[in-house]
């Protein structure tokens, strides 16, 4: 294969992959049976493949998960904000996850020693979260600008739902935080009410939200968030903490 | 495109095939068999067929109209449930030896694939084809009174997966659900289950194909230990509180069905484990495997946490591949059934055959009973099997059909890349390119 052809999907001045070669449909069917490889259990996730700078030789575990990471804007911002924390993006669309992978690899080359703590996997997080993370492994989970799925019959495709929150509560440590944001008011209300009604989550107070540096990134760091800001759109966020359920409900 | 269509039509025909099911009363007072939509019961104490009564006092009650996919007795034998493709769950009261009354009918939005009854008899749970587990509160029911309008409430969900098996842990602290995506989920069963079961205790992960069956040890000594069987031809032993895998037994290989090197195993789904039964003392496990004419007995080494092959009990004389197992602890008998309903293109679309192995015990020799020695005798066989004699070929065809139906249902369909591309050709974003 000629070298130049491969290189042309990268920007000449920055060395980053060019998005136009990784365009994909905006939506992907989470209900379909795809045939990507899935680790049998969290102990089968090959960390040395994702974080060669740390593995083998480290006992670190992934602590942040960006579910539906899209083009990876948030991950890239978090990577330098929390340089010692391992984090992973999960994306269902094959091409998009390829883009994020290339983007991380180029950033690692351009900034030696940086971005070693961030990686991406192509998977259906609605089905395979327990295959990637152990109980109470994660301290933060992100759901930024997920598909709204307006039709009622498609509500079960929403990535935040009462049943799926049980699984997110399982992989989050007590005190771990779930961040959600959307520009669709209806979905914002839905995500908020799902979290509000779940016995294992409680809302962060205004003060806590202000003190958390990550909250500011929700609307500014991602490609979707920037698009909303450009169009002067509104965003709706819900940030909740994983708690131990009280005896009444358990 | 045409090829794809004809293929899927073909599959629909086979997927209507339902295996015969069997359940033995915990005190061995009766045996129940489900064949298609037909439920048949024989009372062993009275030695007669039991008639099933559905009367007007229960609103909406009716006999099943489509294949029954799950039957089960409650732990104390005071309840019996049946459910299946007609999206209804019938709760029967098996107290009288001459007739059982349907005391409640619960309707589901989707087809039902598995049922479980809590050991204290307070709750019935069932799983639908979309992976949602529902709970019905039946506490305080009176065997003579029909239950009033019981509505199911959602308990938990496996995201868009088919749940293949549901079990309560012996102490009722956990409810376990197994699915086609290789997972076993252990969920804390809450004090108020009508608010949902949100706290997941663990996931038992290790199977490399669909999980087909779950079983706890009947002995109360090991409430934490779980057995599971799978399409990957293994039986695995787990600790449910942590989800830790204690041992994996390659039963198909051990029984000589597969070459030990495991080559070609991925393509050949012919040796899925279909059912599991544990014995009273918890030392032996009976395993039914597709394509095996008989059963495998595994011995459970309690202190070493292992499962090893004890012996293969073959059934001589006929092609008997069990589709379901039932165990009677008091008599140490293993009840086996093979059979099928809705077999396309056969002169016998539905039939069942029952065999019993006695002496399922570490100290005894297992004996496959002849039809003349079977408990309940000829009358039982007539009631549960029917009288029609079925030839050998039909058994072979039935075993094949059950296998195909199970694979179609539980194994992801593999499409060739051309096929996949051709399915995408009507997509709008593809059209624009041309």
């Amino acid at each position: 294969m000629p070298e130049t052809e491969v290189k042309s999907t990268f920007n000449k001045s920055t060395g980053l992959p060019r998005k136009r070669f990784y365009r994909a449909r905006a939506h992907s069917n989470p209900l379909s049976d795809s045939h990507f490889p899935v680790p049998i259990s969290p102990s089968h996730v090959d960390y040395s493949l994702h974080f060669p700078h740390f593995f083998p030789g480290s006992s670190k575990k992934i602590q942040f998960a960006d579910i539906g990471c899209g083009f990876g804007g948030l991950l890239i911002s978090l990577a330098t904000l929390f340089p010692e924390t391992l984090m992973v993006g999960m994306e269902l669309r094959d091409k998009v996850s390829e883009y994020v992978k290339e983007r991380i690899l180029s950033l690692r080359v351009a900034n030696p020693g940086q971005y070693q703590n961030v990686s991406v996997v192509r998977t259906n997080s609605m089905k395979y979260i327990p295959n990637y993370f152990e109980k109470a492994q994660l301290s933060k989970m992100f759901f930024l600008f997920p598909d709204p799925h307006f039709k009622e019959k498609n509500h079960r495709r929403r990535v935040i739902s009462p049943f799926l929150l049980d699984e997110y509560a399982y992989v989050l440590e007590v005190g771990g935080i779930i961040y959600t944001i959307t520009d669709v008011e209806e979905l914002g209300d839905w995500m908020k009410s799902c979290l509000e009604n779940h016995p294992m989550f409680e809302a962060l107070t205004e003060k806590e939200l202000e003190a958390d540096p990550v909250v500011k990134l929700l609307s500014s760091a991602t490609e979707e968030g920037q698009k909303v800001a450009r169009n002067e759109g509104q965003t709706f966020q819900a940030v909740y903490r994983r708690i131990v359920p009280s005896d009444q409900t358990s | 495109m045409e090829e794809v269509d004809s293929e899927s039509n073909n599959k629909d025909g086979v997927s209507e095939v339902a295996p015969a099911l069997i359940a033995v009363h915990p005190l061995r007072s009766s045996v129940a068999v489900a064949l298609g939509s037909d439920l048949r019961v024989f009372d062993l104490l009275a030695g007669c067929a039991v008639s099933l009564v559905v009367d007007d006092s229960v609103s909406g009650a009716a006999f099943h109209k489509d294949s029954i996919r799950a039957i089960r007795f409650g732990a104390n034998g005071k309840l019996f449930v049946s459910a299946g493709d007609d999206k209804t769950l019938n709760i029967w009261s098996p107290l009288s030896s001459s007739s059982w009354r349907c005391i409640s009918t619960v309707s589901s939005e989707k087809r039902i694939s598995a049922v479980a009854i809590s050991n204290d008899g307070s709750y019935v749970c069932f799983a639908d084809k979309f992976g949602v587990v529902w709970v019905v509160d039946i506490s305080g029911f009176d065997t003579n009174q029909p239950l009033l309008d019981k509505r199911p409430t959602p308990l938990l969900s496996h995201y868009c997966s088919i749940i293949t098996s549901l079990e309560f842990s012996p102490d009722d602290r956990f409810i376990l659900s197994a699915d086609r995506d290789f997972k076993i989920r252990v969920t804390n069963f809450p004090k108020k289950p009508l608010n949902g079961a949100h706290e997941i205790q663990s996931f038992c992960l290790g199977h490399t194909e669909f999980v087909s069956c779950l079983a706890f040890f009947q002995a109360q000594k090991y409430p934490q230990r779980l057995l599971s069987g799978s399409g990957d031809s293994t039986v695995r032993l787990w600790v449910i509180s942590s989800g830790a895998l204690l041992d994996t037994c390659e039963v198909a290989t051990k029984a000589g069905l597969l070459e030990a090197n495991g080559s070609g195993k991925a393509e050949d789904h012919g040796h899925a484990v279909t059912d599991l039964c544990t014995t009273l003392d918890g030392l032996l496990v009976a395993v039914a495997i597709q394509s095996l004419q008989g059963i495998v007995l595994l011995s459970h080494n309690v202190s070493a946490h292992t499962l090893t092959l004890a012996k293969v009990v073959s059934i001589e004389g006929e092609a008997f591949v069990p589709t379901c197992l039932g165990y009677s602890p008091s008599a140490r008998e293993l009840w086996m059934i093979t059979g099928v309903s809705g077999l396309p293109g056969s002169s016998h679309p539905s039939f069942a055959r029952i065999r019993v192995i006695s002496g399922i015990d570490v100290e005894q020799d297992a004996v496959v009973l002849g039809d003349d020695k079977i408990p309940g005798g000829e009358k039982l066989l007539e009631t549960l099997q029917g009288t029609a004699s079925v030839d050998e070929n039909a058994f072979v065809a039935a075993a094949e059909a059950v296998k195909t139906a199970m694979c179609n249902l539980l194994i992801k369909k593999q499409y060739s890349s051309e096929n996949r591309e051709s399915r995408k050709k009507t997509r709008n974003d593809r059209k624009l390119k041309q």
Side-chain angles (χ1 to χ4, degrees), chain A residues 24-25 30-31 33-36 38 40-42 44 95 124 126-128 130-132 135 156-158 161-170 197-200 242 244-245 247-250, chain B residues 130 132-133 154-161 180-183 185 188-192 195-203 205-208 241-242 411-415 420 427-429 433:
Chain A
R25 299 209 298 170
L31 308 182
D33 267 343
S34 305
H35 285 276
F36 43 78
V38 175
I40 291 167
S41 77
H44 290 77
K95 270 192 193 168
N124 183 345
M126 294 160 85
K127 278 185 105 137
Y128 301 118
N131 296 67
Y132 281 91
K135 189 176 190 173
R156 66 198 177 97
R157 299 183 185 209
R158 286 180 172 170
S161 72
F163 289 133
L164 283 170
L165 282 177
D166 298 345
E167 286 190 19
Y168 304 153
Y170 168 80
N197 294 328
H198 199 284
M200 292 163 89
R242 158 82 155 86
V244 177
D247 282 342
Q248 283 197 323
T249 47
S250 68
Chain B
F130 270 36
V132 180
V133 177
L155 183 72
L156 60 96
S157 164
H158 287 220
Y159 191 77
C160 291
S161 191
R180 60 172 284 210
D181 288 311
F182 323 167
K183 279 206 298 284
R185 170 172 157 168
N188 282 273
F189 193 73
K191 290 191 193 83
K192 292 179 183 167
N195 297 335
H198 303 289
E199 209 178 337
I200 301 172
Q201 178 66 28
S202 67
F203 284 95
L205 299 170
H207 279 298
T208 54
S241 56
S242 63
I411 293 173
K412 287 181 183 179
K413 290 170 187 68
Q414 297 280 356
Y415 299 103
R420 213 162 35 218
R427 258 169 48 172
N428 284 335
D429 59 333
K433 270 185 185 172

Side-chain angles (χ1 to χ4, degrees), chain B residues 327-406:
Chain B
Y327 178 68
S328 157
S330 54
R332 301 193 166 238
E333 290 160 352
L334 184 74
W335 290 69
M336 305 176 290
I337 193 166
T338 187
V340 72
S341 66
L343 192 61
S346 163
S347 53
H348 301 287
S350 298
F351 61 88
R353 176 92 176 94
I354 291 166
R355 300 300 301 259
V356 175
I357 299 178
S358 76
I360 298 284
D361 194 336
V362 183
E363 276 116 51
Q364 292 178 35
D365 262 340
V367 180
V368 184
L369 299 179
D371 280 2
D372 49 334
K373 298 248 174 57
I374 211 161
E378 220 168 88
K379 246 174 136 180
L380 172 132
L381 293 178
E382 239 171 69
T383 309
L384 301 181
Q385 287 181 184
T387 42
S389 68
V390 178
D391 62 37
E392 189 83 348
N393 291 340
F395 279 105
V396 177
E400 275 306 310
V402 168
K403 199 195 285 183
T404 316
M406 194 165 184

Side-chain angles (χ1 to χ4, degrees), chain B residues 182-394:
Chain B
F182 323 167
K183 279 206 298 284
I184 301 165
R185 170 172 157 168
V186 183
T187 313
N188 282 273
F189 193 73
K191 290 191 193 83
K192 292 179 183 167
L194 301 189
N195 297 335
H198 303 289
E199 209 178 337
I200 301 172
Q201 178 66 28
S202 67
F203 284 95
C204 301
L205 299 170
H207 279 298
T208 54
E209 268 298 344
F210 62 88
V211 183
S212 51
C213 46
L214 299 176
F216 278 97
F217 291 100
Q218 306 211 345
Q220 296 287 331
K221 284 177 279 183
Y222 323 110
Q224 280 286 332
R225 289 202 183 177
L226 173 77
L227 287 164
S228 63
S230 155
D232 64 9
S233 312
T234 65
V235 172
R236 290 177 204 245
L237 180 66
W238 311 87
V239 179
I240 55 169
S241 56
S242 63
L245 176 63
L246 291 179
D247 196 23
T248 300
C249 184
E250 309 261 351
V251 278
T253 314
K254 293 269 170 64
L257 293 168
L258 278 172
E259 294 292 317
N261 61 22
S263 65
K265 197 165 134 190
E267 292 95 81
D268 179 21
H269 294 293
H271 304 291
V273 174
T274 46
D275 207 359
L276 283 173
C277 249
T278 56
T279 55
L280 188 60
D281 48 22
L283 300 178
L284 277 182
V285 183
V287 184
I289 308 172
Q290 278 173 356
S291 314
L292 177 71
Q293 298 180 15
I295 52 143
V296 176
L297 285 178
L298 301 179
S299 69
H300 168 215
N301 186 325
V302 178
S303 48
H305 319 301
T306 56
L307 296 169
T308 47
L309 181 77
K311 71 162 96 167
V312 179
V313 183
S314 315
I315 289 158
E316 309 284 333
E318 57 188 19
F320 189 97
V321 179
T323 49
C324 187
L325 304 176
Y327 178 68
S328 157
S330 54
R332 301 193 166 238
E333 290 160 352
L334 184 74
W335 290 69
M336 305 176 290
I337 193 166
T338 187
V340 72
S341 66
L343 192 61
S346 163
S347 53
H348 301 287
S350 298
F351 61 88
R353 176 92 176 94
I354 291 166
R355 300 300 301 259
V356 175
I357 299 178
S358 76
I360 298 284
D361 194 336
V362 183
E363 276 116 51
Q364 292 178 35
D365 262 340
V367 180
V368 184
L369 299 179
D371 280 2
D372 49 334
K373 298 248 174 57
I374 211 161
E378 220 168 88
K379 246 174 136 180
L380 172 132
L381 293 178
E382 239 171 69
T383 309
L384 301 181
Q385 287 181 184
T387 42
S389 68
V390 178
D391 62 37
E392 189 83 348
N393 291 340

Side-chain angles (χ1 to χ4, degrees), chain B residues 144-161:
Chain B
N144 296 316
Q145 288 286 317
L147 286 164
L148 289 169
D149 194 29
K150 286 293 180 184
R151 279 170 183 279
T153 29
L155 183 72
L156 60 96
S157 164
H158 287 220
Y159 191 77
C160 291
S161 191

Side-chain angles (χ1 to χ4, degrees), chain A:
Chain A
M1 287 298 279
E3 271 285 280
T4 48
E5 203 171 292
V6 180
K7 278 265 166 19
S8 68
T9 61
F10 289 82
N11 186 310
K12 277 201 189 95
S13 54
T14 63
L16 289 172
R18 295 158 76 190
K19 244 190 229 168
R20 52 181 293 208
F21 293 101
Y22 297 91
R23 295 247 185 265
R25 299 209 298 170
H27 307 283
S28 194
N29 180 5
L31 308 182
S32 86
D33 267 343
S34 305
H35 285 276
F36 43 78
V38 175
I40 291 167
S41 77
S43 61
H44 290 77
V45 179
D46 189 349
Y47 275 60
S48 65
L49 222 66
H50 290 289
F51 309 105
H53 185 73
F54 294 95
F55 293 89
S58 170
S59 60
K60 276 178 193 277
K61 282 180 178 163
I62 295 169
Q63 283 183 289
F64 295 178
D66 184 358
I67 313 299
C69 65
F71 290 94
L74 179 79
L75 281 175
I76 301 304
S77 308
L78 288 173
T80 46
L81 199 59
F82 298 91
E84 292 305 313
T85 307
L86 299 188
M87 52 190 85
V88 72
M90 299 182 127
E91 174 59 50
L92 181 53
R93 291 167 293 168
D94 198 12
K95 270 192 193 168
V96 178
S97 64
E98 270 310 303
Y99 171 84
V100 179
K101 201 167 132 191
E102 292 299 337
R103 184 174 179 184
I104 292 166
L105 289 178
S106 336
L107 282 168
R108 283 179 184 173
V109 172
N111 308 275
Q114 284 188 306
Y115 302 102
Q116 296 291 343
N117 57 332
V118 42
S119 188
V120 67
V121 291
R122 189 230 171 163
T123 197
N124 183 345
S125 60
M126 294 160 85
K127 278 185 105 137
Y128 301 118
I129 283 260
N131 296 67
Y132 281 91
F133 310 116
E134 291 164 9
K135 189 176 190 173
Q137 182 181 329
L138 298 179
S139 56
K140 290 185 196 300
M141 287 181 95
F142 300 92
F143 299 86
L144 311 190
F145 303 97
D147 276 359
H149 294 297
F150 293 107
K151 286 184 197 163
E152 202 180 320
K153 81 174 175 93
N154 280 341
H155 283 182
R156 66 198 177 97
R157 299 183 185 209
R158 286 180 172 170
V159 73
I160 297 282
S161 72
F163 289 133
L164 283 170
L165 282 177
D166 298 345
E167 286 190 19
Y168 304 153
Y170 168 80
V171 292
L172 273 173
E173 62 182 18
V174 172
I177 296 173
I178 202 164
Y179 298 84
T180 71
I181 189 168
T182 176
D183 56 330
V184 179
E185 187 167 11
E186 186 195 328
L187 181 68
D189 291 345
W190 162 276
M191 295 199 291
K192 197 165 194 154
S193 77
C194 287
L195 283 157
E196 193 60 50
N197 294 328
H198 199 284
M200 292 163 89
F201 289 100
E202 70 172 16
L204 264 67
T205 61
E206 285 297 324
K207 247 190 191 163
E208 288 168 325
L209 288 174
E210 295 235 329
D212 191 338
V214 177
V215 172
K216 290 165 197 71
L217 292 178
L218 298 183
S219 49
S220 67
T222 63
E223 287 76 3
E224 280 293 325
Q226 288 156 8
K227 200 156 84 189
V228 174
R230 258 200 318 272
N231 301 334
E232 291 170 11
Q234 250 191 306
T235 56
F236 309 88
Q237 63 183 33
V239 182
Y240 278 71
R241 183 189 297 108
R242 158 82 155 86
I243 54 167
V244 177
S246 60
D247 282 342
Q248 283 197 323
T249 47
S250 68

